[in-house]
Amino acid sequence: MSIPTVLYAGKPADRPAYARALTRAAADAGLEIRLVMEAEEVPRAEVDYLVFSAKGPITEFEGFARLKAILSLWAGVDGIMKLPLPEHVPLVRMVEDGLTLGMLDYVTGHVLRHHLGIDQHLGRGADMPWSAVFPPLAHERTVTVLGLGELGAICAERLALNGFNVRGWARSQKDVPGVQCFAGPEGLGAALDGAEILVLLLPDTPATRHVIDAGAIARLAKGAAIINPGRGPLIDDDALLAALDAGQLDHATLDVFDIEPLPEDHPFRDHPNVTVTPHIASATRPETAADALIAQISRGERGEPFLHIVQRTRGY
């Protein structure tokens, strides 16, 4: 069996970390690879696997004659899908423990923050009125998660284990323990109706753009909170701001935006009912991502199908 050539085509700043992590993961797996960290160091015709991000050095794919897979470093592939990808080469999404656990922490933390009303007590001392207003119990709070893929499903399941009344929605029917699952256009309204906390973990596709518009927001409980660690285009920004100003929504916690970094003069920046976080909900971590990448390469070398192949007609 020939030794596969693996070319790292991610951010240059991350090369040292991925060189160490991929070398370690391959050794742990007993897989011999030829690891190349810079595109100029290998002829394209010799590359078997691309470890890839849309912000890396490669933006076209001419000459990769024996490429077996493009292994995305990101869970979201909307940026990669804009490139002229070779049709016959599988594009594989990143699914790895560090990415998943990071998102789980972010979503759980902010759901609990809004559920407990923690913001009401931050930065307040002597001027805080001594009035005991108790939050409802978790099972009395309805949380809806839109998107039940790898990240959404585990977040919804964890919220259910925390005791929340959890609904989930996806394009096709899913089965998530402890979660009332809805699907398709007819199920979206039912998932939204009366939800008090809404978590967005859908991919960015033409079908999901502005899925949260004025009509969707109106279906939520008055005073609901929205948490978006998914994709910026999921929300109609103008509709969100209008709902916040009108009191239909109490708060929005936003980690992703149409334009990043978020412009300094954007209305979200100084809105009293918007929390902006700088796209930190989760990240691909080299140490854990390397294990997932080597596992995929091992499958390819054994002639097994790759996991998490992107369905390009769907965009995810």
Side-chain angles (χ1 to χ4, degrees):
M1 181 183 295
S2 61
I3 298 172
T5 296
V6 179
L7 173 60
Y8 172 82
K11 289 195 227 176
D14 293 337
R15 280 178 188 146
Y18 274 101
R20 292 190 298 269
L22 288 165
T23 299
R24 186 272 310 158
D28 289 350
L31 178 67
E32 188 175 1
I33 63 173
R34 176 192 180 195
L35 180 60
V36 181
M37 299 306 296
E38 298 196 37
E40 298 79 14
E41 295 179 354
V42 62
R44 287 188 169 196
E46 296 180 9
V47 176
D48 296 289
Y49 299 92
L50 270 179
V51 174
F52 190 82
S53 91
K55 292 186 177 179
I58 294 174
T59 57
E60 52 79 27
F61 300 87
E62 185 177 355
F64 287 105
R66 74 182 199 198
L67 197 60
K68 298 177 183 177
I70 300 170
L71 305 174
S72 173
L73 285 166
W74 301 344
V77 295
D78 41 288
I80 299 177
M81 292 287 287
K82 296 173 183 176
L83 300 175
L85 300 171
E87 294 183 3
H88 65 286
V89 179
L91 172 61
V92 179
R93 287 185 296 110
M94 173 57 72
V95 176
E96 58 100 1
D97 289 347
L99 183 69
T100 302
L101 294 173
M103 185 62 76
L104 188 60
D105 288 347
Y106 185 95
V107 168
T108 304
H110 284 287
V111 167
L112 286 168
R113 166 193 161 212
H114 291 303
H115 168 62
L116 296 172
I118 289 174
D119 287 11
Q120 300 171 31
H121 305 284
L122 295 177
R124 303 182 66 184
D127 67 328
M128 184 177 70
W130 193 263
S131 57
V133 178
F134 297 100
L137 297 174
H139 73 266
E140 299 172 312
R141 180 82 73 187
T142 298
V143 180
T144 289
V145 178
L146 297 190
L148 294 175
E150 295 289 336
L151 298 178
I154 195 169
C155 288
E157 184 175 357
R158 173 62 63 85
L159 292 170
L161 288 171
N162 283 353
F164 290 103
N165 174 31
V166 182
R167 301 173 187 163
W169 179 86
R171 180 178 180 272
S172 57
Q173 190 63 46
K174 306 291 184 182
D175 183 12
V176 181
V179 178
Q180 185 181 11
C181 295
F182 298 86
E186 68 284 353
L188 180 58
L192 292 171
D193 283 344
E196 296 163 276
I197 300 175
L198 176 65
V199 179
L200 303 178
L201 285 168
L202 290 164
D204 177 15
T205 71
T208 62
R209 181 171 177 80
H210 290 184
V211 65
I212 302 304
D213 57 11
I217 292 171
R219 302 189 78 135
L220 303 175
K222 185 174 176 59
I226 290 179
I227 302 168
N228 186 16
R231 287 290 179 263
L234 300 177
I235 296 178
D236 180 335
D237 290 355
D238 292 338
L240 179 66
L241 288 165
L244 289 165
D245 292 341
Q248 171 63 23
L249 292 177
D250 179 68
H251 204 95
T253 294
L254 309 175
D255 187 59
V256 287
F257 309 91
D258 281 332
I259 300 173
E260 296 186 9
L262 187 66
E264 292 185 5
D265 61 350
H266 195 285
F268 288 156
R269 287 278 193 176
D270 57 6
H271 197 289
N273 299 105
V274 175
T275 298
V276 170
T277 58
H279 207 143
I280 57 166
S282 192
T284 305
R285 291 161 166 81
E287 274 302 313
T288 47
D291 292 321
L293 291 164
I294 292 300
Q296 293 279 24
I297 293 168
S298 296
R299 294 181 69 87
E301 291 305 288
R302 293 193 299 265
E304 299 174 5
F306 299 105
L307 303 177
H308 317 301
I309 294 176
V310 173
Q311 302 300 313
R312 300 191 193 186
T313 56
R314 297 182 181 180
Y316 59 91

